[in-house]
Amino acid sequence: MSPVLDTAFIPSRDREEVVRNAVWDSVVAVDIDHRPAAEDISVRMGLGAVGPLRICSARATAVTIRRTEQLARKDEEPAVFLGLQVTGTSLVAQNGRECVLKPGEFAMYESIAPYTLLFDEGVDHHFLRFPRAALALPDRLLRDTTTVTLGSDNPVARLAFTYFSQLAVSDDLHEGRHADAVVAPSVELLRAVLTSQHGNSSLAREPLEATLGLRITHYIRAHLADPDLSAARIAAAHGISVRHLYAVLSRAGISLGAWIRTRRLAECRRELAGPNGRLRTIAAVGRSWGFVDATHFSKVFKQAYGISPRGWRDQNHPRSSG
């Protein structure tokens, strides 16, 4: 991967801020504690993407990276990270466990919980970020396989280290049809590593496609309140194209826009009729479920239920005549 950031060309006073902004914008929000003084900080970092997968390859002076509890709570798109050790050693800590990585080894950790990465000898590392939903693995399995050294005693992990290292540095795999071709195998390989490490390889043999429709509708329900929920965002979260997304939903008899609108309206209807139905304006209730235009919200609500939002609320919460 060609470097896109090299602090050798950045004034020393700006290096920490530039590095932090690059990592936050392209990978994940973390606190970065550089060990050397500002003038001695050296970071050479390449950033890339393969479909929904994010890649960062870095060489740097000694640093400690922390994903704090506050930052983890703000995570909007839960992710799973792989940290691949190229040279030297590093330490990964999460969920009360820690592991030391040597060259040829890697570990998995999650964005939804605090973690610490210690690079006392400097950084020579590949970081790969996968959408958590794309793996379709149980929460317990993911928690059990965080901060576990992968590589030396697991032949599937040894294979994966070689594969993901090559994926990280091969620019020609990051674009066009080549990128589209490697997303699904990359997800399947990581699933195979984690399930074999956990001792439950049968989970890896279940085709992702078999659960894709269920995972998509679960994701949509979890993000109904997001006004920017879109086909592109849903597809990216599951490592598929927009065309594939529509094909999966069509087989299930689902029209994406209508399906989302129906469930958003149902949540608004429930909230307006609930005990706190008068605590917020009707427009505010609509906005909280993705209807940014109050007039449009009233129109589609009445089309769906034969009564306006205000009429529905008044029917369930009559104003006192006294």
Side-chain angles (χ1 to χ4, degrees):
M1 180 185 297
S2 302
V4 297
L5 186 153
D6 190 337
T7 54
F9 303 101
I10 299 171
S12 58
R13 66 180 181 276
D14 298 328
R15 289 175 183 174
E16 290 188 59
E17 182 179 0
V18 169
V19 171
R20 182 180 65 249
N21 289 342
V23 172
W24 280 49
D25 291 344
S26 302
V27 189
V28 69
V30 288
D31 288 343
I32 304 173
D33 180 15
H34 296 272
R35 304 291 179 79
E39 61 270 19
D40 296 321
I41 291 174
S42 174
V43 178
R44 186 175 172 86
M45 183 166 59
L47 301 166
V50 181
L53 314 183
R54 299 288 186 89
I55 299 172
C56 172
S57 292
R59 290 187 176 182
T61 43
V63 67
T64 298
I65 298 172
R66 293 184 178 88
R67 175 80 165 164
T68 64
E69 187 169 348
Q70 182 180 10
L71 292 173
R73 281 200 304 268
K74 295 180 179 178
D75 199 11
E76 295 181 357
E77 297 291 346
V80 164
F81 289 93
L82 296 187
L84 286 73
Q85 190 73 30
V86 181
T87 64
T89 62
S90 64
L91 183 143
V92 182
Q94 187 176 55
N95 295 331
R97 296 195 304 271
E98 61 184 39
C99 66
V100 175
L101 301 180
K102 296 178 292 187
E105 297 176 337
F106 65 101
M108 184 273 289
Y109 45 99
E110 298 187 88
S111 66
I112 59 173
Y115 61 75
T116 300
L117 311 179
L118 298 178
F119 296 97
D120 289 339
E121 304 170 7
V123 181
D124 192 0
H125 217 72
H126 300 306
F127 304 89
L128 287 86
R129 172 177 174 148
F130 290 74
R132 197 173 188 268
L135 296 177
L137 291 173
D139 292 348
R140 178 63 182 272
L141 184 147
L142 291 176
R143 285 196 301 271
D144 288 349
T145 47
T146 57
T147 57
V148 172
T149 302
L150 302 166
S152 57
D153 61 349
N154 183 331
V156 181
R158 291 200 299 270
L159 172 67
F161 182 90
T162 302
Y163 173 90
F164 288 125
S165 296
Q166 188 64 33
L167 181 63
V169 300
S170 299
D171 289 340
D172 54 355
L173 291 177
H174 300 174
E175 298 178 357
R177 68 181 188 280
H178 301 299
D180 293 339
V182 299
V183 170
S186 299
V187 171
E188 292 283 10
L189 180 55
L190 179 54
R191 279 166 49 87
V193 171
L194 299 179
T195 56
S196 64
Q197 185 70 31
H198 192 261
N200 192 357
S201 297
S202 62
L203 284 170
R205 291 194 293 270
E206 179 182 339
L208 277 172
E209 191 71 21
T211 62
L212 185 55
L214 179 62
R215 289 185 288 119
I216 288 171
T217 54
H218 177 79
Y219 177 89
I220 295 172
R221 289 181 186 277
H223 293 84
L224 272 179
D226 299 350
D228 60 346
L229 184 64
S230 65
R233 176 179 164 186
I234 297 165
H238 293 84
I240 61 176
S241 67
V242 171
R243 178 178 295 182
H244 190 180
L245 169 70
Y246 281 121
V248 170
L249 294 178
S250 178
R251 288 196 294 270
I254 293 174
S255 171
L256 181 60
W259 198 88
I260 292 174
R261 184 170 59 252
T262 296
R263 277 144 190 83
R264 282 176 166 172
L265 286 172
E267 291 297 336
C268 293
R269 185 172 184 263
R270 175 192 57 77
E271 188 167 334
L272 289 169
N276 299 320
R278 286 199 177 275
L279 293 184
R280 292 195 294 169
T281 66
I282 289 171
V285 172
R287 281 195 303 272
S288 70
W289 289 104
F291 293 102
V292 295
D293 185 307
T295 302
H296 173 70
F297 169 52
S298 294
K299 179 180 178 181
V300 295
F301 190 99
K302 188 170 184 178
Q303 288 174 342
Y305 301 116
I307 188 173
S308 69
R310 185 175 305 279
W312 172 252
R313 186 178 65 178
D314 290 345
Q315 181 176 304
N316 287 273
H317 299 282
R319 291 187 178 276
S320 172
S321 58

